[in-house]
Amino acid sequence: MTQSVHRPLGCESSPGAKFEFVAKQVNGPHALMLWRATSQRFDAVKGADSFVIKAGKIVSQSIHYRLVAG
């Protein structure tokens, strides 16, 4: 399920990165996306975004990933 719509914060240093979403889960107002990305400069590994959504808007977001030389 490769997509390039979502660009996690901090990945601006990797233009042209290709993102792959490994898993998506939603439970009520909570959502979790697990992902990884590759680019010429860096690979982002163990990416995870979590969200709290209320009234159709993101009210809280956390993000985790690790950059390694690509």
Side-chain angles (χ1 to χ4, degrees):
M1 87 172 82
T2 301
Q3 299 178 10
S4 61
V5 176
H6 175 72
R7 273 192 136 355
L9 298 173
C11 287
E12 299 84 10
S13 60
S14 298
K18 295 189 182 196
F19 291 83
E20 178 183 0
F21 293 95
V22 179
K24 296 178 187 178
Q25 296 180 351
V26 177
N27 185 3
H30 303 101
L32 173 68
M33 295 189 330
L34 303 179
W35 57 272
R36 60 182 158 243
T38 58
S39 74
Q40 290 184 349
R41 293 181 61 196
F42 299 105
D43 292 338
V45 297
K46 299 183 180 180
D49 285 67
S50 64
F51 302 90
V52 177
I53 302 167
K54 294 185 180 177
K57 295 184 180 185
I58 297 170
V59 295
S60 178
Q61 177 184 10
S62 68
I63 185 170
H64 168 83
Y65 60 92
R66 193 177 89 149
L67 288 180
V68 294

